[in-house]
């Protein structure tokens, strides 16, 4: 699988990988293992990536990393779309959300974006995609995901910060797009 390191702020690592022959399940683990190995300065074979057990029906599980049987205090987030996956890691306590979209969405995706986006010109595809990926990244960082309606997410005028009004946390938004993929990272270490 091909993968590239993405340009992220200090303390956060992210990689984009793609290969239609590798399952989404495997792409997530491969990318997370690469990121953790680089951060911990160990061989990739020393890193074990596991998925937490679901707490209840509909619970979105997260990945966690182990070295020598000890769980590492890292946040790992992933997003996939078709044959591509992006993974991000940060220290425990940093809230992360990441979203990945194709630069050429299908009609069903466009319809959903237009229906839930609160921007002036929903016909401007670049603006719509940029807005939508930022909203989705904030929803992921918030932790409530799809339980939180996209309409509740607020972005500042410059679209560099996002938040949900019922919580005091504001997320920095970073565009990591490349190679025809729209990628947005939302992060905060506010408690």
């Amino acid at each position: 699988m091909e993968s590239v390191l993405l340009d992220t702020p200090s303390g956060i690592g992210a990689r984009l990988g793609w290969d239609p022959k590798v399952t989404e399940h495997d792409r997530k683990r491969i990318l997370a293992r690469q990121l953790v190995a680089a951060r911990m300065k160990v061989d990739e074979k020393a890193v074990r990536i596991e998925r937490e057990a679901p707490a209840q029906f509909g619970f979105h599980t997260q990945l966690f990393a182990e070295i020598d049987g000890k769980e590492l205090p890292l946040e790992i987030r992933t997003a996939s779309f078709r044959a591509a996956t992006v993974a991000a890691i940060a220290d425990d306590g940093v809230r992360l959300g990441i979203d990945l979209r194709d630069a050429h969405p299908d009609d069903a995706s466009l319809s959903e974006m237009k229906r839930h986006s609160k921007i002036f010109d929903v016909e401007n595809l670049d603006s719509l995609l940029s807005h939508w990926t930022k909203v989705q990244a904030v929803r992921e960082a918030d932790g409530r995901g799809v339980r939180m309606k996209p309409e509740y997410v607020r972005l500042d005028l410059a679209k560099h910060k996002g938040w949900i009004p019922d919580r005091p946390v504001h997320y920095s938004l970073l565009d990591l797009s490349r190679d025809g993929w729209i990628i947005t990272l939302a992060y905060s270490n506010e408690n």
Side-chain angles (χ1 to χ4, degrees):
M1 175 177 78
E2 290 188 53
S3 75
V4 293
L5 189 62
L6 300 174
D7 190 23
T8 55
S10 178
I12 299 174
R15 290 191 81 85
L16 169 66
W18 58 94
D19 190 332
K21 292 177 249 145
V22 177
T23 67
E24 175 184 344
H25 174 85
D26 290 337
R27 284 193 313 264
K28 289 177 182 181
R29 283 168 172 69
I30 291 167
L31 293 170
R33 186 174 297 111
Q34 290 172 346
L35 288 165
V36 171
R39 174 173 273 203
M40 303 306 292
K41 297 177 179 29
V42 298
D43 187 88
E44 285 182 34
K45 292 177 185 173
V47 178
R48 182 176 172 169
I49 302 295
E50 289 292 325
R51 182 181 75 132
E52 70 178 326
Q56 62 197 26
F57 178 75
F59 180 76
H60 293 281
T61 59
Q62 301 295 328
L63 298 178
F64 63 91
E66 293 180 349
I67 295 179
D68 296 330
K70 293 176 65 178
E71 187 175 336
L72 301 174
L74 296 172
E75 294 292 326
I76 302 173
R77 296 292 181 269
T78 63
S80 296
F81 190 83
R82 295 189 183 132
T85 298
V86 63
I89 67 167
D91 291 332
D92 194 25
V94 175
R95 294 179 184 209
L96 286 179
I98 194 148
D99 189 66
L100 170 68
R101 303 281 159 174
D102 186 332
H104 306 286
D106 60 24
D107 290 340
S109 296
L110 274 175
S111 177
E112 180 185 13
M113 288 180 218
K114 288 177 180 179
R115 187 172 55 251
H116 296 290
S117 291
K118 300 299 182 199
I119 60 174
F120 180 69
D121 184 6
V122 293
E123 299 305 322
N124 180 328
L125 182 60
D126 291 338
S127 179
L128 182 63
L129 280 169
S130 174
H131 180 265
W132 188 252
T133 62
K134 287 173 175 59
V135 166
Q136 296 306 314
V138 168
R139 289 172 73 198
E140 284 297 315
D142 173 74
R144 292 177 281 183
V146 297
R147 294 179 311 209
M148 181 57 55
K149 291 183 179 183
E151 294 89 342
Y152 294 158
V153 175
R154 302 289 182 256
L155 303 177
D156 68 351
L157 290 176
K159 295 185 178 135
H160 296 297
K161 292 274 187 192
W163 67 94
I164 298 174
D166 70 339
R167 294 202 173 157
V169 181
H170 285 69
Y171 301 96
S172 296
L173 298 169
L174 184 62
D175 181 13
L176 303 176
S177 301
R178 67 178 298 148
D179 300 328
W181 298 103
I182 310 302
I183 306 166
T184 300
L185 174 70
Y187 62 96
S188 175
N189 58 7
E190 298 174 24
N191 292 322

